[in-house]
Amino acid sequence: MAGDNGVPMPAAQMQIDSVGLSFGGVRALSGISFNVYPGTIQAIIGPNGAGKTSLLNCISGLYKPQQGQIRFEGRNLIGLAPHEIARLGVARSFQNIELFRHMTVVENLMLGRHVHMRGGVISGGLYWGAGKREEIVHREFVEQVIDLLEIQDIRKKTVGSLSYGLQKRVELGRALAMDPRLLLLDEPMAGMNSEEKEDMARFILDISEEQRTTIVLIEHDMGVVMDISDNVAVLEFGQLIAYGTPDEVKAHPDVIAAYLGHQHAAH
Amino acid sequence: MQSGTFHSSYSSDMGLRPYWPMRLRIILVIVIMLVFPWFAGRYWLNLANTIGIAAISAIGLNILVGYTGQISIGQGGFMAVGAYTSGLLAANAGLPMWVSVPIACVVTAVVGALFGMPSVRLKGLYLAIATLAAQEIIIWVLTHGKILGIGESLSLPPETSNLFGLSLAGSTDFNFYWLIMGCLVLTVIFVSNLFRSRAGRAMVAIRDQDIAAQVIGVDLFRYKLLAFATSSFFAGLAGALTAHYRGIISWERFTIETSILVLAMIIIGGLGSVSGAIYGATFMTLLPALLSNVSRAASGVFPSFSSYLPYIQQGAFGLAIVLFLIFEPEGIVKMWRNVKDYFRLWPFSY
Ligand SMILES: Nc1ncnc2c1ncn2[C@@H]1O[C@H](COP(=O)(O)OP(=O)(O)O)[C@@H](O)[C@H]1O
Ligand SMILES: [Mg+2]
């Protein structure tokens, strides 16, 4: 964990502070607090129904927690609309792929550039001068993401026609096209074969190392989680039962009892 | 046989018509459009103009329904706003149409956005009902519009139908042909451009996956309103052109029947496609014309049928639409794509 070896702990980029969320009688999250540090890979693990996706939904503004605060770079996110949170530099992928199915890969990634562009209806319809130049500049950025993720040969394909593994990769690409400061990934490797998983893990590490993007990663594959993350938060029944480096978490008695014991249920 | 197309720059790769067969087809269409009016009689010119206006309205509605995924049965009402705005400006203020038509388009866009506002929170059937309410409110205002100085119908002074001093009166069908087709071509270019750039993409994103759209930074409220406004802008254009072309307008031209007809055009032609809207407008305008010609010929053979003709005609119209939807639910644009795919590989297709 950052700060172990006497180096002062950097300021947290995101502070999740006593977040509580219920749906009617169902308590999805209660009193969740932990920090996410800049440039790290922060894993969130826990059995199905533990509240991991709900927590990401609170961060991206899709759910509104009844208690607590989520401060991102000093700003409380709770109460902001999802598109406002996106503008602050938070991007994400979804557990069940949520791409724009009828559009091509390039168009999906260009949508990732939405917050960085200005063009409106009139400049788009005229497609002339500054409006056209803007499209081309951002297309160049998108091409860099396409190269990074090695999806050159499918760039003009309609997303709905791609395999599951490729769709997951395109969804990561759309989030990367946003050039985010915080990237939330909800089970990016679920349902993949081992080769696809390896590729995905490599991309996540590349993004983390080369672009210093902070990553919050929900993942079931314990091998991958322990390999690539800096810190791990463990949720169970909506509560944070452990937090620390992968080694600390692995040794935590509650985790061994609660999570590793239920590993079959988690899959 | 067509192989892959390679582009040396993103700007050419992002072009609207990157393949030369498409360019060729467009040139062919333009040549036909330029030659047609010199040979066509009044009957065919009138049909072409009707199709042109319907196509502008259908493309406009497709922005909202086909591209943004927001159902609307209010397009007829918005056409009425355009027709009456331009008509009143011409009749009362004597403004020439090249001033009154653009004003009418902008006014209709604003009215569309206003009616869109409550609709932004609604989806599916509820949205359909809200747009139906917009349609009925607009027609109610027009039929109770003594305040606006509207009687049963409104006549436009012929001298207001001029472009920068150039009069369109006289051989009206021929002159309006050029104006209407010019507007249609500009509409096609504008809307095609819109959907290959940021704002248009955001609208399609809302249609495909509105939650993901928000999370990548698309403001749903803003873009749904923009879709309503842009869609209504073209409804206004179609309505205003109708007013000046016909020289006389009444609200009966813009009832819910018109709204449903325009909706049927884009469903039959192809949702979310500019060319689909044009095919649909052509089909839905030509089919009744064809049916009435056929039935007129048939009434010569079976004179006793003549009193039932209107019903047979309407029934055949409905039947044609139903059959169409059963056999090609993705519209004419899909059929055309199948034909193209067949010929792309020709003569090796089988
Ligand atoms: N929109 C919702 N409405 C009602 N209950 C929900 C909703 N979203 C999540 N929940 C409930 O919250 C709990 C946590 O779910 P979730 O966050 O999806 O878990 P995880 O991602 O860890 O598998 C579950 O009991 C789930 O049923
Ligand atoms: Mg989940």
Side-chain angles (χ1 to χ4, degrees):
Chain A
M1 185 168 168
D4 277 352
N5 39 9
V7 181
M9 186 97 99
Q13 187 175 16
M14 180 164 66
Q15 294 157 298
I16 296 167
D17 183 10
S18 327
V19 166
L21 171 75
S22 359
F23 298 99
V26 182
R27 194 121 184 94
L29 296 170
S30 39
I32 305 285
S33 300
F34 64 91
N35 288 345
V36 177
Y37 296 96
T40 59
I41 297 181
Q42 166 73 55
I44 301 176
I45 62 171
N48 274 335
K52 307 180 294 296
T53 299
S54 298
L55 183 58
L56 284 208
N57 285 348
C58 291
I59 299 171
S60 44
L62 295 172
Y63 289 171
K64 197 162 178 248
Q66 288 88 358
Q67 291 94 34
Q69 284 201 335
I70 299 175
R71 303 188 71 80
F72 174 68
E73 297 180 347
R75 231 181 126 166
N76 191 7
L77 297 184
I78 293 171
L80 295 184
H83 70 266
E84 293 169 320
I85 292 171
R87 253 176 236 157
L88 296 176
V90 180
R92 77 173 280 185
S93 71
F94 293 86
Q95 183 171 352
N96 309 309
I97 303 166
E98 308 275 14
L99 284 165
F100 308 117
R101 295 180 52 80
H102 298 96
M103 290 196 244
T104 64
V105 171
V106 165
E107 286 170 325
N108 268 274
L109 300 204
M110 284 298 282
L111 270 157
R113 298 304 293 163
H114 185 85
V115 290
H116 298 286
M117 297 172 75
R118 299 269 71 81
V121 169
I122 294 171
S123 79
L126 299 179
Y127 207 78
W128 193 266
K132 183 177 178 181
R133 277 196 300 278
E134 182 185 51
E135 288 289 327
I136 293 169
V137 166
H138 289 272
R139 173 66 188 272
E140 278 160 10
F141 188 96
V142 160
E143 288 294 329
Q144 289 172 18
V145 176
I146 287 176
D147 288 343
L148 177 81
L149 296 181
E150 300 160 10
I151 48 177
Q152 294 88 343
D153 49 332
I154 54 161
R155 57 153 83 75
K156 285 294 175 72
K157 289 253 165 71
T158 304
V159 158
S161 71
L162 299 174
S163 72
Y164 180 83
L166 281 177
Q167 290 195 19
K168 282 257 173 198
R169 208 186 283 190
V170 173
E171 207 189 16
L172 174 66
R174 183 180 65 192
L176 282 183
M178 292 174 70
D179 196 13
R181 286 201 299 286
L182 176 64
L183 179 59
L184 313 172
L185 302 176
D186 197 345
E187 306 199 18
M189 293 166 221
M192 287 184 160
N193 63 36
S194 59
E195 192 190 337
E196 289 172 326
K197 270 188 191 176
E198 244 169 63
D199 282 342
M200 187 57 86
R202 182 163 53 83
F203 294 137
I204 293 172
L205 278 174
D206 283 353
I207 296 158
S208 172
E209 277 161 19
E210 285 167 26
Q211 326 206 350
R212 308 303 306 155
T213 308
T214 313
I215 297 173
V216 173
L217 170 73
I218 296 178
E219 186 46 57
H220 272 313
D221 189 315
M222 292 304 280
V224 174
V225 168
M226 296 304 167
D227 265 4
I228 70 174
S229 46
D230 299 296
N231 296 306
V232 182
V234 188
L235 296 191
E236 197 196 24
F237 298 123
Q239 297 192 320
L240 183 72
I241 59 167
Y243 179 92
T245 63
D247 288 334
E248 287 166 1
V249 163
K250 249 190 286 190
H252 198 291
D254 287 352
V255 176
I256 295 167
Y259 185 70
L260 299 178
H262 289 108
Q263 208 168 25
H264 302 292
H267 281 268
Chain B
M1 211 166 133
Q2 186 182 318
S3 67
T5 305
F6 297 93
H7 300 279
S8 46
S9 72
Y10 296 135
S11 124
S12 83
D13 186 41
M14 292 157 79
L16 271 185
R17 295 289 169 198
Y19 308 113
W20 65 260
M22 281 193 205
R23 288 219 176 104
L24 208 67
R25 214 150 47 225
I26 286 172
I27 292 170
L28 198 69
V29 168
I30 289 175
V31 168
I32 291 172
M33 282 172 82
L34 290 176
V35 171
F36 170 82
W38 303 97
F39 298 96
R42 280 199 57 191
Y43 175 78
W44 286 103
L45 277 173
N46 178 48
L47 265 183
N49 291 343
T50 310
I51 290 172
I53 291 174
I56 292 172
S57 186
I59 292 172
L61 185 64
N62 224 353
I63 295 173
L64 188 61
V65 180
Y67 285 106
T68 317
Q70 309 299 304
I71 187 98
S72 164
I73 31 183
Q75 192 77 345
F78 296 129
M79 287 171 72
V81 173
Y84 276 89
T85 307
S86 199
L88 287 170
L89 286 173
N92 296 345
L95 287 183
M97 71 179 295
W98 58 274
V99 178
S100 67
V101 171
I103 294 176
C105 293
V106 172
V107 168
T108 314
V110 172
V111 171
L114 282 178
F115 277 111
M117 234 173 245
S119 311
V120 164
R121 297 197 177 280
L122 305 173
K123 277 186 179 177
L125 271 181
Y126 298 94
L127 177 60
I129 299 298
T131 56
L132 178 62
Q135 161 81 42
E136 294 305 325
I137 289 168
I138 290 168
I139 295 300
W140 187 88
V141 169
L142 292 177
T143 48
H144 296 73
K146 298 199 178 57
I147 332 115
L148 300 170
I150 310 169
E152 269 301 296
S153 64
L154 180 70
S155 297
L156 282 71
E159 65 275 11
T160 59
S161 283
N162 78 75
L163 291 182
F164 313 106
L166 194 74
S167 176
L168 296 181
S171 46
T172 312
D173 293 299
F174 182 82
N175 290 341
F176 265 89
Y177 175 87
W178 299 106
L179 175 65
I180 291 168
M181 292 305 153
C183 288
L184 176 59
V185 167
L186 292 179
T187 303
V188 167
I189 294 174
F190 186 92
V191 176
S192 306
N193 279 336
L194 175 60
F195 287 100
R196 61 168 169 155
S197 55
R198 177 178 181 263
R201 271 194 306 264
M203 292 173 189
V204 181
I206 292 173
R207 177 197 71 191
D208 272 10
Q209 235 309 321
D210 58 352
I211 290 175
Q214 286 174 277
V215 165
I216 57 157
V218 173
D219 183 345
L220 286 195
F221 185 75
R222 184 185 164 83
Y223 281 91
K224 283 186 184 177
L225 276 195
L226 280 172
F228 264 100
T230 315
S231 168
S232 305
F233 182 95
F234 292 108
L237 177 58
L241 286 174
T242 307
H244 289 271
Y245 178 41
R246 305 294 173 195
I248 180 163
I249 40 174
S250 89
W251 59 272
E252 285 160 359
R253 207 178 256 290
F254 308 107
T255 56
I256 179 169
E257 223 171 293
T258 308
S259 293
I260 291 173
L261 187 69
V262 184
L263 192 59
M265 285 176 190
I266 59 173
I267 292 172
I268 283 181
L271 287 170
S273 154
V274 171
S275 44
I278 298 174
Y279 299 148
T282 309
F283 182 82
M284 296 293 272
T285 312
L286 287 186
L287 186 62
L290 182 80
L291 286 173
S292 77
N293 283 342
V294 168
S295 59
R296 209 174 298 132
S299 72
V301 187
F302 311 105
S304 53
F305 267 10
S306 56
S307 57
Y308 299 110
L309 274 183
Y311 306 108
I312 296 174
Q313 227 169 288
Q314 276 193 339
F317 189 47
L319 186 69
I321 294 168
V322 170
L323 287 178
F324 206 94
L325 291 178
I326 291 172
F327 291 110
E328 193 48 277
E330 286 179 65
I332 301 173
V333 78
K334 178 72 190 309
M335 277 168 64
W336 172 235
R337 221 174 280 142
N338 292 344
V339 172
K340 272 195 311 191
D341 287 345
Y342 180 84
F343 280 107
R344 179 160 302 148
L345 300 170
W346 192 85
F348 303 107
S349 48
Y350 47 84

